[in-house]
Amino acid sequence: MWNSFPLFGSALILCVMLAAAYTFAVGVNAGSKGSVRSLTSARLGAYGTVALIAVSVLTLAYAFLSHDFRLRYVAQHSDRSMPTVYLLTALWGGQDGSILWWLFLLSLYIGTCVLWLRNKFPELQPYVIATLMVVVLFFTVLMAFPANPFATSIAGARGDGGGMNPLLQNFYMIIHPPSLYIGFVGCSIPFAFAVAALVTGRLGTEWILAIRKWMLFAWMFLAIGNTLGMLWAYEELGWGGYWAWDPVENAAFMPFLVATAYLHSAMIQERRGLFKVWNVFLVCLTFFMTIFGTFLTRSGAIASVHSFAQSGIGTYFVYFLVAIFAFCVSLILYRWPELRDLPPNRKFRWAALLSGWLVIGVTGPGVWFLLNNAHMGLSMRVLTFTAIIALTVFVSVELVYRRLTRDIPRAQVAPYIESFLSREFTFLLNNWALLGFLGFVLVATTFPMISEALWSEKVTVGPPYYNAWVQPLGLVIYVLMGVGTLFGWKKTSPSAFKKACIAPVVATVAAVSAHLAFGKAIGFPAVVWGDSVYAGTMGVVLRAINAYSPGLGVAVAVFNVAVIAQEFVALFQARSKTKADATPVMLYLGICVIGLVPAFLFKVPAVAVVGPVLAMFIALVQLPATSRRRYGGYMVHFGLVTMLLGFTGQSWNINKETSLSPGQTFAVELSPTSRYEITYKGPRMEVDAQKRMIFADLTVTKNGVELGAASPAKFIYKKNASSPTTEVAMLHTTRDDLYLVVGNVNPETKLAAFQVHVNPLVMLIWLGCMLMVIFSFVCMWPELAPNESRVWQFARGTAGAAASIWLGLVLALMPTQAFALQTSSLHAGTVKIDNPQEKEIFASLRCMCGDCARDPLSTCACSQADAMRTRIRSQIAKGDSRDKILESYAAEFGTASLSVPPDRGALKAIYLGPLFLIGGGGLGLVLMMRKWRKNRPAEATGNRGEKDKYDSRLEDELKNLDENL
Amino acid sequence: MTTAAQKVTPSKADASQDASPHHPASETKRWIGLGVLAVLLVLVLSLVLVPIFTGAQFVLALVAMVLLGAILLLWNSVRMLVGETEVPPEFEHVTMKRVSAREQKLDRKKAVLRALKDLEHELSIGKITRDDYEDVAETYRDEAKILMKELDTDLDAHRPAAERMLENFLQKMARSGDPSDVPVGQWQRARDNAGEKDAKDEDVRATRILDPAKVEDGRATLLIDPAELDPVLLASRADAVENDGGKAVLRVACGACAILNDTDAKFCKSCGAKLAGETGMA
């Protein structure tokens, strides 16, 4: 048996494929025939498939633990010296294993979902199972052919494996990829329900309610995964930043944006039955984006620090994406009448299907021909093709329907909103802003491919471009978040709205005034002028907006906090009037005050947030389910606002470089009244079996108070003595993080070069994420059925709440173990930068050595980058302007060597395209709302206000409504 | 004071109830049992296998066990598909319906009720003035009432069939003599099968058909007007009334909330009120 162990693994993959195919067939049979027996059989088949996938993962884990180097994957990603925990993380450390791990997480979702479903949603259930099995089938096909983790090495078993990339051997590798995968994979369940709803025609609120918690869970893990990625980059990659707008980071961020848009628009369908097409589209798009993101990571289509080895796997993903697109388009066209609340007769159905596929048939070949002539790669051709065709199909079907349904009464009331001053409208604005942001990121991420295909010009889109554009777009979303909270459902009375605006606006004006007056004195000025990314007018405008963004960021954050606080005050007042809340206010205040004690004890002001969070928990647990979702959502907003303040802190970063002799002190001015003093005590060398370690011992004081010791270091490994690694020392405080890096240490004079980075308010980013996670769980708390036994209800409620609080806290506090470390390895090396002008120019240019993925000269530590920096320094010394230096660099290495595509000719499409789409979308939204505003339902106004026997029944049903939700 | 229902010895009823796989308590017990078994299994594995085997061997043992489980599950799936095993009890009464106009109306009604509830909340927290509230709420109230009327009208066609079913059922009860031998129908069991949100309202109403306190000498008295019954519910469950082999399970109605409880219950399982017969039984 042991001789054929790799074969056993490969056979398992084929067994999973067979089991999934069988379960798919049985599921479809159950759905089409309405057979309960087949349904129960499909459920067992799903469990069996899940168990087989678990066997596959355990088998690979066994191969790692037993060092079975016959397996190519094991030989490439582990060695005998690795500790067990990293042997297990190697399961997802490479491409083939990560696909199996992906499938394993999907199987956990499937198992949980099937268990949860029991005999609920019997009509949807067969198709949910069948859809999930198709996803399983796709991943098993990947593993059976191009990415088999059980494939053997052609050369036979090695004595020892290659080992894992040292950059991956840290705590974040254990938690970051699984968190993100859980988020990605979690989007499959809502997608399966959307497909089931489309297949069965049950497009009411049933499937929306069914997936609410699943989507929220996936959304939460996308947030956690992205934040852990930020934390990892911040602590381990050595450039002191947390988000580099790398294509893979963007790929993980885009589904998060779509899922956020869905979570808001679903509430409108739940309440008004509107946006059926839109919600189905968003769920399908979220799933599509997760697969697209995986494709970006795996195919090597775009250079990225995350890219796995190049392989033929990308083509499989492209075909899967096309299949998803074709399937979803067909289903949506088939159900177009139901989605538009029209009678589902054959005429409408055929009209939709024929017009849709006719458009594809007629325009498809032409578009494909044009794209072929544009010299695109296959993957790019297919993606552009699907985008163009999807838009054309939607427009043509809509036009055909408008013609057909001109005089036909609608099955239900026509789309209608009471007022622009309503939560419905602001939710739509929120969808518009989020999707606009998504469009912007998507275009920027894929622009290198677009530019090369259409204009044969290679470009790079680096962080300076994103940072310049994202701040104004992000602020719009935050403003809408705050303003939207002020509105109520259906209609907000203008007088009430004005009244609601007073307190937040006063608070904001006060905060802005205080910021303008005292910001500079505390080291957080409201206006920070930076460099322009473009030379022309556009550059001037962007520079001005970004200069004011710190002040605007603080203003928007204060506005949001004031709005949220006001909402809670109004809620408590309303509840105290009806005596719904029996908890005395003093209890809440008491908890808040007690929460201050640890903040004083540990001298960490951020800990003060514990008290209010606990009080909020107690308050939220007492609300009815629907209110808990609403006010839990506000607290999630609060977490996001906290993160905004953290992001704003980046504007006030301080970066210094110095060389110190033992005994010397270096001062970093934070503000006119506050400063860090860093005293260099001297170097220290230690040696172990693997390496020599040269530490530079420092003591750090802030305003005369000693903060502690820090020992940044250089590690020189015997195996790789020419590339010493750098150990960063960090001191975390609520106000800022002090990030210390040691460069060269002269062994004779003991003179050491240091980089000192002060990153203000970074802790708020992690704190905000924790709040988001904790309060997302509040929104997912179990809803209790009214007629079940009180004891059972109490037990289930308590257990559910306790489990969710525990899980929320564990997830939220997960990174603290790594965050608490005082040092981290800076495997990328260090770059010496003498002044801000150099830094700005280096950040605008990309290292063109060919090995560094997209690293700018400001962070790339390779020898060619060193040579380039020396050359540019000499150009600066000669007095060359920034533009001239960039021009000469681009002339030598091409446009791709610039971090920001030049603002000229067709390349302007990178921002004009998304801006045009955002503007067009906004205009379309306003026109649509104006039309809907006029659609007042005629039937309901017939006997307006007439009392009859149904009034008392209506009151009864209203009374029990919340209990039945 | 003791009522007739409280005098009924609970033995037979309880026996049938305990044996019933539909009862939430038995369901809960089954799950708890499985959970305990799983925990014990993990404990045994941890305590026995880990000291004996290395980490890798432990994983290999897990592979063998999970593989065995997978084979069992898939084998059972095939047996279920070809009809060699029974459909699990919780799926016995599951039906897969096509989406109907009535369902769409119910969906719409729920959305309208939600809208009214939201408006109430917005009024309470001051987001809408009383005048605006009344204006908007009136529209939704009217729409809700129209939908309720339409839903009622849709049921009229089924009403005669439902009334026949009810009559048939009561006659059977009357013939039986011993109330505990009477087929009680699917609604009674559906009531026991707690956790089904959709069936809940209908079930609660259906259980109120019988007043256990008045089941004496094999005669049952209706507590509510048959017109209040949902005929679709009764009509759709007609087969179960005729053919179901289950026994009647007697319940004590709570004086406070009218929910039916086990005959030996001391407090109501829903509202927690002390049951009237408790002192009598004691």
Side-chain angles (χ1 to χ4, degrees):
Chain A
M1 188 236 167
W2 304 118
N3 290 334
S4 57
F5 186 75
L7 193 64
F8 174 68
S10 298
L12 273 175
I13 301 291
L14 293 176
C15 287
V16 174
M17 198 190 288
L18 275 176
Y22 158 79
T23 310
F24 167 78
V26 176
V28 170
N29 176 60
S32 59
K33 292 189 174 167
S35 160
V36 176
R37 179 171 287 282
S38 295
L39 172 62
T40 50
S41 174
R43 287 171 57 84
L44 286 167
Y47 286 135
T49 311
V50 168
L52 275 178
I53 295 168
V55 174
S56 310
V57 172
L58 287 169
T59 305
L60 189 60
Y62 171 75
F64 270 110
L65 292 173
S66 61
H67 305 298
D68 191 338
F69 296 124
R70 286 172 300 171
L71 300 186
R72 189 181 57 204
Y73 181 74
V74 176
Q76 282 173 351
H77 295 95
S78 71
D79 60 38
R80 291 181 189 279
S81 67
M82 277 167 63
T84 307
V85 65
Y86 289 125
L87 282 175
L88 292 176
T89 58
L91 276 173
W92 56 84
Q95 175 149 286
D96 304 352
S98 70
I99 289 181
L100 179 59
W101 183 252
W102 182 290
L103 187 62
F104 174 62
L105 292 177
L106 177 62
S107 76
L108 291 183
Y109 268 107
I110 295 173
T112 315
C113 180
V114 174
L115 190 68
W116 168 76
L117 276 168
R118 290 182 60 197
N119 54 7
K120 286 184 273 193
F121 311 111
E123 296 86 2
L124 298 179
Q125 210 178 130
Y127 295 107
V128 170
I129 293 172
T131 310
L132 290 170
M133 287 303 130
V134 171
V135 183
V136 170
L137 269 173
F138 169 67
F139 281 100
T140 48
V141 167
L142 278 184
M143 283 189 295
F145 300 106
N148 185 353
F150 297 102
T152 49
S153 306
I154 297 170
R158 295 195 225 163
D160 198 359
M164 195 192 242
N165 182 345
L167 200 59
L168 301 181
Q169 292 191 36
N170 59 56
F171 183 74
Y172 293 104
M173 183 59 190
I174 302 172
I175 55 173
H176 165 58
S179 304
L180 205 52
Y181 284 4
I182 290 171
F184 267 39
V185 176
C187 298
S188 308
I189 303 285
F191 174 69
F193 271 93
V195 168
L198 282 167
V199 171
T200 55
R202 306 177 71 84
L203 291 156
T205 51
E206 183 184 30
W207 74 277
I208 293 277
L209 292 172
I211 67 168
R212 200 180 64 77
K213 286 185 183 175
W214 292 100
M215 191 55 127
L216 200 54
F217 191 75
W219 176 88
M220 189 185 71
F221 268 94
L222 282 173
I224 293 174
N226 275 312
T227 310
L228 287 174
M230 286 159 70
L231 198 48
W232 189 357
Y234 178 68
E235 299 224 338
E236 293 287 335
L237 295 183
W239 39 272
Y242 33 77
W243 194 263
W245 295 105
D246 184 79
V248 174
E249 290 173 349
N250 296 350
F253 183 51
M254 286 188 280
F256 176 77
L257 288 174
V258 189
T260 311
Y262 168 78
L263 286 172
H264 288 86
S265 70
M267 282 187 254
I268 303 179
Q269 184 173 343
E270 207 180 307
R271 284 166 169 82
R272 310 200 68 126
L274 300 178
F275 295 110
K276 289 178 182 170
V277 181
W278 184 243
N279 284 327
V280 164
F281 167 74
L282 284 182
V283 173
C284 293
L285 183 65
T286 309
F287 180 70
F288 190 90
M289 294 309 298
T290 59
I291 300 293
F292 179 66
T294 320
F295 156 72
L296 278 185
T297 327
R298 316 286 155 159
S299 64
I302 297 176
S304 155
V305 292
H306 293 73
S307 288
F308 287 84
Q310 293 249 358
S311 72
I313 205 168
T315 318
Y316 287 79
F317 272 98
V318 169
Y319 288 124
F320 189 50
L321 286 171
V322 173
I324 295 170
F325 169 76
F327 181 66
C328 292
V329 164
S330 300
L331 270 179
I332 292 174
L333 287 175
Y334 184 75
R335 292 292 173 196
W336 202 261
E338 287 96 331
L339 288 167
R340 300 298 311 276
D341 290 330
L342 288 161
N345 59 34
R346 195 173 287 181
K347 180 180 149 193
F348 288 142
R349 223 183 272 300
W350 279 109
L353 275 171
L354 277 178
S355 55
W357 281 109
L358 205 64
V359 167
I360 295 174
V362 172
T363 58
V367 173
W368 187 256
F369 176 75
L370 286 174
L371 293 175
N372 264 343
N373 285 346
H375 309 295
M376 289 180 170
L378 175 68
S379 53
M380 193 57 215
R381 263 205 307 274
V382 171
L383 281 173
T384 317
F385 178 80
T386 47
I388 294 172
I389 293 297
L391 196 67
T392 323
V393 166
F394 178 79
V395 171
S396 58
V397 173
E398 195 56 32
L399 287 175
V400 168
Y401 260 63
R402 294 215 167 176
R403 176 82 188 161
L404 281 175
T405 60
R406 194 182 290 170
D407 303 316
I408 294 175
R410 309 294 288 269
Q412 292 176 0
V413 286
Y416 162 67
I417 64 162
E418 281 82 7
S419 168
F420 279 103
L421 292 180
S422 63
R423 184 159 284 206
E424 284 89 332
F425 184 62
T426 52
F427 273 19
L428 285 180
L429 284 177
N430 144 307
N431 267 234
W432 163 76
L434 287 168
L435 271 279
F437 197 89
L438 168 82
F440 183 84
V441 176
L442 185 63
V443 169
T445 308
T446 52
F447 199 72
M449 288 195 286
I450 295 171
S451 165
E452 194 175 353
L454 296 179
W455 308 295
S456 303
E457 186 162 12
K458 286 185 177 176
V459 296
T460 305
V461 186
Y465 172 79
Y466 288 95
N467 291 338
W469 281 98
V470 154
Q471 293 187 50
L473 289 172
L475 282 175
V476 169
I477 294 177
Y478 272 100
V479 168
L480 285 174
M481 195 170 94
V483 174
T485 310
L486 289 171
F487 291 101
W489 288 107
K490 313 296 169 199
K491 182 178 182 177
T492 307
S493 304
S495 56
F497 178 64
K498 280 179 201 159
K499 198 176 152 194
C501 283
I502 293 171
V505 169
V506 167
T508 308
V509 170
V512 169
S513 310
H515 195 191
L516 285 168
F518 307 112
K520 215 164 190 175
I522 56 170
F524 296 153
V527 183
V528 180
W529 289 96
D531 298 297
S532 170
V533 289
Y534 298 131
T537 318
M538 180 57 78
V540 173
V541 173
L542 277 177
R543 182 169 176 255
I545 294 173
N546 287 319
Y548 286 96
S549 66
L552 288 171
V554 171
V556 171
V558 170
F559 179 75
N560 271 281
V561 171
V563 167
I564 294 167
Q566 180 176 267
E567 288 296 312
F568 275 97
V569 169
L571 173 75
F572 290 132
Q573 281 175 345
R575 284 176 68 78
S576 63
K577 265 185 207 166
T578 56
K579 303 206 186 319
D581 190 352
T583 314
V585 178
M586 288 309 290
L587 177 68
Y588 295 130
L589 291 176
I591 292 169
C592 291
V593 171
I594 292 168
L596 293 173
V597 175
F600 280 113
L601 280 179
F602 301 114
K603 293 180 182 166
V604 183
V607 177
V609 83
V610 171
V613 167
L614 198 61
M616 203 53 76
F617 253 111
I618 295 170
L620 288 173
V621 79
Q622 298 179 59
L623 295 178
T626 43
S627 294
R628 205 160 53 219
R629 276 162 57 188
R630 177 173 176 154
Y631 290 92
Y634 289 163
M635 288 309 292
V636 173
H637 284 187
F638 181 67
L640 283 164
V641 171
T642 311
M643 290 180 92
L644 169 68
L645 280 174
F647 296 139
T648 306
Q650 204 180 10
S651 309
W652 302 306
N653 281 0
I654 299 170
N655 302 298
K656 300 279 181 187
E657 303 231 357
T658 185
S659 292
L660 299 175
S661 294
Q664 282 189 320
T665 298
F666 179 68
V668 181
E669 300 284 338
L670 302 174
S671 68
T673 55
S674 178
R675 54 160 42 187
Y676 277 120
E677 284 178 345
I678 300 157
T679 306
Y680 175 43
K681 290 163 74 179
R684 171 169 51 92
M685 189 165 82
E686 289 180 16
V687 181
D688 68 13
Q690 294 175 313
K691 57 187 180 291
R692 279 186 300 135
M693 298 167 278
I694 301 164
F695 294 96
D697 291 329
L698 302 165
T699 50
V700 181
T701 58
K702 188 177 184 182
N703 303 330
V705 180
E706 188 169 326
L707 285 184
S711 299
K714 285 273 183 197
F715 286 0
I716 303 159
Y717 286 84
K718 285 177 185 168
K719 273 189 180 175
N720 203 1
S722 60
S723 302
T725 65
T726 304
E727 300 294 308
V728 180
M730 286 175 285
L731 287 171
H732 305 291
T733 63
T734 307
R735 186 199 181 274
D736 51 47
D737 284 3
L738 184 64
Y739 199 96
L740 296 160
V741 184
V742 63
N744 291 325
V745 181
N746 189 319
E748 290 172 5
T749 61
K750 297 183 178 176
L751 183 75
F754 293 98
Q755 287 178 20
V756 182
H757 304 279
V758 179
N759 301 322
L761 305 181
V762 172
M763 194 176 275
L764 293 184
I765 299 176
W766 325 130
L767 185 68
C769 181
M770 287 181 197
L771 292 174
M772 265 173 65
V773 172
I774 291 171
F775 287 102
S776 295
F777 270 99
V778 170
C779 299
M780 287 190 275
W781 267 345
E783 287 145 24
L784 306 174
N787 284 320
E788 61 188 346
S789 153
R790 276 291 169 93
V791 179
W792 176 238
Q793 194 181 39
F794 179 76
R796 199 164 74 86
T798 310
S804 59
I805 290 169
W806 178 80
L807 196 57
L809 285 172
V810 167
L811 286 173
L813 299 174
M814 207 160 52
T816 49
Q817 185 185 338
F819 189 59
L821 297 175
Q822 293 293 308
T823 63
S824 67
S825 298
L826 188 73
H827 298 275
T830 52
V831 175
K832 187 174 183 302
I833 297 175
D834 294 329
N835 56 55
Q837 189 193 3
E838 271 187 12
K839 188 188 172 203
E840 196 264 317
I841 293 175
F842 292 160
S844 307
L845 299 172
R846 185 187 156 197
C847 176
M848 298 303 286
C849 67
D851 294 331
C852 319
R854 328 164 47 242
D855 290 350
L857 289 181
S858 54
T859 57
C860 185
C862 78
S863 56
Q864 184 172 338
D866 254 342
M868 284 298 126
R869 280 190 290 267
T870 310
R871 203 175 84 182
I872 291 166
R873 280 192 185 106
S874 68
Q875 284 180 286
I876 295 171
K878 271 198 303 180
D880 285 357
S881 69
R882 171 187 176 271
D883 292 341
K884 194 176 174 189
I885 293 169
L886 262 57
E887 210 171 285
S888 67
Y889 195 82
E892 188 177 347
F893 296 106
T895 317
S897 62
L898 302 174
S899 291
V900 178
D903 186 28
R904 62 169 160 78
L907 295 179
K908 285 187 177 186
I910 190 172
Y911 61 82
L912 284 180
L915 287 182
F916 177 74
L917 284 175
I918 293 170
L923 188 68
L925 188 67
V926 171
L927 290 176
M928 186 177 79
M929 285 299 114
R930 283 183 62 177
K931 185 168 176 276
W932 286 14
R933 181 82 185 80
K934 293 173 189 164
N935 290 346
R936 197 172 177 87
E939 317 95 297
T941 51
N943 301 313
R944 203 167 155 75
E946 192 179 284
K947 299 283 173 201
D948 55 27
K949 64 171 183 174
Y950 284 96
D951 280 284
S952 60
R953 260 178 70 183
L954 184 59
E955 291 306 325
D956 282 348
E957 295 207 21
L958 276 173
K959 202 174 155 192
N960 296 323
L961 182 67
D962 269 343
E963 291 179 341
N964 290 328
L965 275 175
Chain B
M1 191 181 85
T2 53
T3 65
Q6 288 147 6
K7 286 174 193 164
V8 175
T9 50
S11 56
K12 270 192 171 181
D14 285 357
S16 68
Q17 174 191 325
D18 288 342
S20 167
H22 314 292
H23 196 272
S26 64
E27 185 71 11
T28 311
K29 276 179 200 165
R30 192 160 69 90
W31 282 108
I32 290 171
L34 281 173
V36 171
L37 199 69
V39 172
L40 282 176
L41 197 69
V42 172
L43 277 176
V44 168
L45 281 173
S46 312
L47 292 172
V48 177
L49 294 182
V50 173
I52 299 171
F53 300 114
T54 62
Q57 285 168 325
F58 177 68
V59 172
L60 199 62
L62 272 180
V63 166
M65 279 189 292
V66 182
L67 184 60
L68 196 66
I71 293 168
L72 277 174
L73 284 164
L74 289 169
W75 176 243
N76 271 318
S77 168
V78 175
R79 289 185 69 212
M80 174 66 67
L81 190 66
V82 298
E84 281 193 12
T85 50
E86 287 300 313
V87 173
E90 68 262 32
F91 283 88
E92 270 177 15
H93 312 301
V94 170
T95 52
M96 295 192 199
K97 298 168 285 184
R98 286 187 179 279
V99 64
S100 63
R102 177 178 169 78
E103 211 170 318
Q104 285 175 334
K105 279 181 192 163
L106 282 168
D107 212 35
R108 178 72 197 149
K109 191 183 93 176
K110 203 183 249 184
V112 173
L113 292 179
R114 181 75 264 152
L116 282 165
K117 201 79 176 176
D118 285 337
L119 278 167
E120 275 177 19
H121 183 70
E122 306 303 356
L123 178 70
S124 72
I125 58 171
K127 291 217 185 280
I128 188 167
T129 57
R130 170 70 62 183
D131 288 347
D132 281 342
Y133 166 77
E134 278 168 7
D135 182 46
V136 181
E138 202 62 66
T139 313
Y140 281 96
R141 287 182 72 88
D142 287 344
E143 191 185 346
K145 287 195 289 185
I146 288 169
L147 284 164
M148 287 163 88
K149 279 175 200 167
E150 285 177 7
L151 285 166
D152 281 357
T153 313
D154 292 345
L155 295 181
D156 284 346
H158 302 282
R159 197 171 294 282
E163 282 171 1
R164 269 202 309 280
M165 292 308 314
L166 187 62
E167 201 177 327
N168 192 13
F169 168 71
L170 292 173
Q171 280 171 3
K172 279 193 172 188
M173 285 197 76
R175 278 201 301 271
S176 161
D178 180 359
S180 62
D181 283 337
V182 175
V184 87
Q186 190 170 350
W187 59 76
Q188 185 81 15
R189 294 210 287 130
R191 172 68 187 89
D192 296 342
N193 195 4
E196 285 186 53
K197 196 177 281 186
D198 291 341
K200 203 165 292 153
D201 290 346
E202 295 164 341
D203 296 337
V204 171
R205 285 164 67 188
T207 50
R208 288 178 188 168
I209 297 166
L210 287 171
D211 179 8
K214 297 185 179 176
V215 179
E216 283 181 282
D217 304 324
R219 303 180 74 81
T221 309
L222 276 177
L223 276 180
I224 55 171
D225 182 356
E228 274 188 49
L229 297 174
D230 188 338
V232 171
L233 169 74
L234 296 177
S236 67
R237 291 169 180 180
D239 288 345
V241 176
E242 294 291 338
N243 304 326
D244 194 274
K247 307 291 182 188
V249 180
L250 293 184
R251 298 275 193 261
V252 179
C254 170
C257 68
I259 292 294
L260 301 182
N261 292 275
D262 296 347
T263 45
D264 58 347
K266 295 180 180 176
F267 300 94
C268 173
K269 66 183 174 185
S270 179
C271 68
K274 196 164 189 175
L275 294 175
E278 172 53 20
T279 45
M281 291 288 279

